[in-house]
Amino acid sequence: MGLLDELKERILIADGAMGTLLYSHGIDRCFEELNLSNPDEIVHIHEAYIAAGADVIQTNTYGANYVKLARYGLEDEVPAINRAAVRLAKQAANGRAYVLGTIGGLRTLNKSVVTLEEVKRTFREQLFVLLAEGVDGVLLETYYDLEELETVLAIARKETDLPIIAHVSLHEVGVLQDGTPLADALARLEALGADVVGLNCRLGPYHMLRSLEEVPLPKQAFLSAYPNASLPDYRDGRLVYETNAEYFEETAKAFRDQGVRLIGGCCGTTPKHIEAMAKALSDRTPVTEKTVKRRAISVSVSADIPSAATPLPELARTRRSVIVELDPPKKLGIDKFLAGAKALHDAGIDALTLADNSLATPRISNAAVATIIKERLGVRPLVHITCRDRNLIGLQSHLMGLHTLGITDVLAITGDPSKIGDFPGATSVYDLSSFDLIRLIRQFNEGLSYSGKPLGQKTNFSIGAAFNPNVRHLDKAVERMEKKIQCGAHYFLTQPVYSEEKIVQMYEATKHLDTPIYIGIMPLVSARNAEFLHHEVPGITLSDEIRARMAACGGDPVQAAREGIAIAKSLIDAAFDLFNGIYLITPFLRYDMTVELVRYIHEKEAAAKERKVVHG
């Protein structure tokens, strides 16, 4: 009788944590490498779980993949470590327990750290070794990212007819980190061919049971649960799990009542926990019916916080739209900044964009400045948000704060690395990439946090994204644009462009897209400014002609500013009939220059309308 045949008839007990026991024995290095260097220790742990009542054990291969082993310089040992793991587990089982080949998830918060292509390659390498060594089934565990799990499950199902157990991990009760309800996720995994679907890690029995209350019994597959012992505590530099074995004995029957047929343990669990569950479930009869609870999620659009006027992308679709960047000051005191903001507002801009410590240089908080100009001047702020300065907690708090302040226009960008700024020793966080940040903001607009927890309200952010056309292969940059659109971007702001030919190229490369683009134009103020931008600022390239024109101005600041405005106007002319959106970047708080350019744009627009009337 095989594993699935037994699950049809009775509940099976699985093993608990491997790493917890090794850690408790004073081992604090790569656990998977012990398959080679200390095989007796691994066999002993397997045997302890079988003696405790485990019908199913898993190989010590959770992190035995190229990506994780590379951290220890063991990436070339993937085949050897996985082969040894299966042989040790089978030696310990000796026909008394099923052996599952375990493959753990790779993606955590920042999906961009490990691409799907790398996931596929790494997964196949590990899977083929486990299958070749004759495991009784495959356990896919600790997958927070549903896309990753669906990807590897499809590969595994194509390669083997052995039983496949697919486990997701949750941050919050009943919902995955992308907002997918647990019941929906498990149904999708069943549809992809998983024989057993369920949960492991992160949650203890209490929260895992609450999550399973919302999950119906699968139509074909079976349910499984591998809870953590508890939430971990951190004492004297070590992680400690408090839950005693008696608690697992008490909750084991509750898991059976939720339809679980394969039950084991994850972080913090030991043979004592498994023995307690086996004792509680001495009658292994599973349930065949259950009542599913429906959890009401209350998410509303706030009536207290008014939405902004027409979203910026809609403005750029229907008419000429001008936004201006005016960086918050590097020093305390904002009188000159406010004077510039007022002058630009009076000139007729649609929004004032505020960089988030551009070039990794500390400035007055753009959220604080945005609030002031919104309340005092009636200026519409567009707040830049970088991934550099805030971790995932800080980013979500920041977004909630902006929503509470009624600031709905944001630009999601990666942010210049700290090493190029005033404090090169400062840490660059980058929990998320710009793609991930765009997804996060879109999820906020659906009323869900990163972990899938309801926010209570839906935000109404208009999501801007960056587009750098100053690259050798424009088609690759456009592919990044398209990916950002898929993530949820509503419109784009480009890096400053200093070539009329480049503007035409951009139009040809992006005319198939419906997403509005604001063309970045920044007037030059001197030859030194031009050379610095060209040679030292990432993402900005000046043509030889423009550099020569600025150099011809010598040291005359008035003539240089006049020439910089003339160059900017010619770029505006080139963009005028191709793009509705113009994004003016103010250099060195010289708002007089951008005011002149804003007026120039409005004069051109008025003249164009007049010609249309005359010839209409």
Side-chain angles (χ1 to χ4, degrees):
M1 183 179 289
L3 174 62
L4 297 181
D5 293 324
E6 288 212 50
L7 285 173
K8 290 177 183 177
E9 305 296 331
R10 68 190 190 105
I11 295 172
L12 296 183
I13 305 297
D15 56 2
M18 173 70 72
T20 296
L21 291 180
L22 293 171
Y23 190 61
S24 69
H25 296 170
I27 298 172
D28 191 12
R29 62 180 193 271
C30 178
F31 294 147
E32 290 79 12
E33 187 275 336
L34 297 174
N35 297 331
L36 300 177
S37 64
N38 195 350
D40 291 343
E41 181 78 20
I42 304 303
V43 171
H44 173 71
I45 292 174
H46 286 319
E47 290 176 337
Y49 279 120
I50 294 171
D55 306 297
V56 179
I57 63 172
Q58 57 180 295
T59 56
N60 181 34
T61 53
Y62 168 74
N65 58 68
Y66 184 94
V67 173
K68 291 185 177 179
L69 289 179
R71 300 170 187 170
Y72 304 94
L74 298 170
E75 60 271 27
D76 294 333
E77 300 298 320
V78 171
I81 288 174
N82 280 275
R83 277 196 297 269
V86 178
R87 292 171 185 177
L88 295 176
K90 292 175 75 172
Q91 175 187 333
N94 193 26
R96 297 174 295 165
Y98 295 103
V99 173
L100 301 178
T102 298
I103 303 178
L106 289 173
R107 285 180 161 185
T108 53
L109 300 179
N110 189 343
K111 295 183 179 183
S112 303
V113 171
V114 183
T115 66
L116 274 184
E117 289 306 310
E118 190 171 10
V119 166
K120 293 175 184 178
R121 184 197 65 78
T122 300
F123 179 79
R124 286 191 176 98
E125 180 182 25
Q126 190 176 3
L127 175 68
F128 293 156
V129 177
L130 295 174
L131 294 179
E133 288 299 316
V135 292
D136 299 311
V138 176
L139 171 61
L140 310 176
E141 68 169 10
T142 321
Y143 283 81
Y144 287 95
D145 180 51
L146 184 57
E147 180 186 33
E148 179 188 8
L149 180 52
E150 289 180 319
T151 299
V152 299
L153 172 57
I155 293 172
R157 187 73 290 166
K158 183 178 179 180
E159 296 296 336
T160 182
D161 293 326
L162 290 175
I164 299 176
I165 296 94
H167 282 173
V168 297
S169 296
L170 310 180
H171 295 290
E172 302 290 342
V173 171
V175 65
L176 277 67
Q177 68 180 21
D178 66 354
T180 303
L182 174 61
D184 294 349
L186 297 187
R188 285 163 58 173
L189 296 174
E190 182 183 10
L192 283 171
D195 300 292
V196 182
V197 295
L199 294 163
N200 83 287
C201 207
R202 176 63 180 162
L203 305 180
Y206 175 77
H207 291 103
M208 196 168 282
L209 282 166
R210 285 185 59 199
S211 298
L212 289 170
E213 288 174 352
E214 303 166 21
V215 177
L217 296 178
K219 296 177 181 178
Q220 302 294 331
F222 303 108
L223 283 179
S224 58
Y226 286 39
N228 278 3
S230 65
L231 295 176
D233 192 11
Y234 192 72
R235 298 181 196 163
D236 302 322
R238 295 180 68 84
L239 292 173
V240 179
Y241 290 86
E242 291 287 4
T243 301
N244 57 40
E246 288 74 16
Y247 178 60
F248 265 59
E249 183 176 347
E250 294 171 9
T251 58
K253 291 182 180 179
F255 277 108
R256 177 178 62 184
D257 292 342
Q258 293 305 320
V260 171
R261 297 206 187 191
L262 177 64
I263 182 168
C266 203
C267 300
T269 58
T270 68
K272 289 184 178 180
H273 295 84
I274 302 307
E275 184 179 16
M277 290 193 295
K279 177 182 176 182
L281 297 174
S282 56
D283 174 9
R284 300 293 187 87
T285 305
V287 300
T288 56
E289 295 180 358
K290 66 177 284 191
T291 301
V292 178
K293 288 187 178 181
R294 302 296 180 187
R295 184 166 58 112
I297 299 177
S298 176
V299 177
S300 64
V301 178
S302 173
D304 300 326
I305 302 174
S307 297
T310 306
L312 290 174
E314 294 306 314
L315 289 181
R317 282 191 178 96
T318 57
R319 65 165 174 83
R320 190 75 53 201
S321 179
V322 182
I323 59 179
V324 174
E325 180 174 321
L326 190 66
D327 283 346
K330 295 180 182 179
K331 298 180 180 179
L332 297 177
I334 61 171
D335 290 346
K336 184 177 180 182
F337 176 88
L338 290 179
K342 184 178 186 306
L344 289 163
H345 181 56
D346 292 344
I349 66 171
D350 290 307
L352 191 73
T353 81
L354 304 162
D356 190 10
N357 300 324
S358 56
L359 295 179
T361 299
R363 297 175 179 270
I364 295 175
S365 161
N366 62 358
V369 173
T371 303
I372 291 172
I373 63 171
K374 178 175 177 287
E375 294 179 351
R376 292 189 193 176
L377 305 177
V379 174
R380 179 175 185 169
L382 194 169
V383 174
H384 299 199
I385 305 175
T386 71
C387 302
R388 178 195 59 233
D389 298 335
R390 302 174 187 87
N391 65 11
L392 182 57
I393 298 169
L395 284 170
Q396 293 184 91
S397 175
H398 188 50
L399 288 169
M400 287 190 283
L402 292 174
H403 168 76
T404 303
L405 291 168
I407 296 171
T408 60
D409 295 297
V410 295
L411 177 73
I413 54 178
T414 301
D416 305 307
S418 298
K419 63 183 179 181
I420 74 168
D422 291 350
F423 298 93
T427 303
S428 293
V429 182
Y430 298 130
D431 271 359
L432 302 182
S433 68
S434 58
F435 300 100
D436 300 321
L437 179 55
I438 292 167
R439 287 191 197 97
L440 173 62
I441 301 171
R442 181 184 67 184
Q443 197 159 309
F444 264 55
N445 283 348
E446 296 167 356
L448 299 171
S449 71
Y450 185 90
S451 65
K453 186 176 182 178
L455 293 169
Q457 295 177 0
K458 293 182 179 181
T459 59
N460 190 33
F461 290 117
S462 183
I463 308 169
F467 170 45
N468 179 19
N470 301 313
V471 292
R472 183 172 299 176
H473 301 289
L474 188 57
D475 58 327
K476 298 297 183 183
V478 173
E479 287 179 9
R480 286 178 61 85
M481 284 183 73
E482 293 170 340
K483 183 178 177 182
K484 288 181 179 181
I485 293 170
Q486 293 172 359
C487 292
H490 297 140
Y491 64 101
F492 289 89
L493 276 62
T494 80
Q495 288 276 28
V497 180
Y498 289 96
S499 164
E500 297 175 25
E501 180 183 3
K502 177 65 71 175
I503 291 173
V504 174
Q505 290 175 354
M506 266 195 293
Y507 171 75
E508 293 297 330
T510 63
K511 63 183 180 182
H512 64 289
L513 301 175
D514 183 50
T515 308
I517 300 171
Y518 283 80
I519 301 299
I521 296 173
M522 181 168 68
L524 301 166
V525 298
S526 66
R528 287 180 59 186
N529 173 224
E531 293 304 308
F532 171 74
L533 291 174
H534 179 71
H535 291 289
E536 299 193 37
V537 177
I540 298 180
T541 304
L542 276 64
S543 67
D544 292 341
E545 177 195 355
I546 287 177
R547 291 165 59 202
R549 287 173 64 178
M550 294 305 298
C553 298
D556 186 340
V558 175
Q559 182 182 352
R562 192 160 47 238
E563 188 64 28
I565 288 175
I567 292 170
K569 287 181 177 178
S570 66
L571 294 168
I572 290 170
D573 292 342
F576 201 78
D577 293 328
L578 302 179
F579 297 95
N580 271 352
I582 303 294
Y583 163 42
L584 301 175
I585 301 103
T586 306
F588 307 108
L589 213 57
R590 290 287 305 274
Y591 60 84
D592 55 310
M593 299 178 74
T594 39
V595 165
E596 181 175 343
L597 294 175
V598 171
R599 289 173 177 161
Y600 178 73
I601 293 169
H602 288 319
E603 289 168 1
K604 280 183 68 70
E605 182 73 0
K609 288 181 178 178
E610 186 175 340
R611 286 195 300 272
K612 188 174 181 179
V613 170
V614 170
H615 297 289

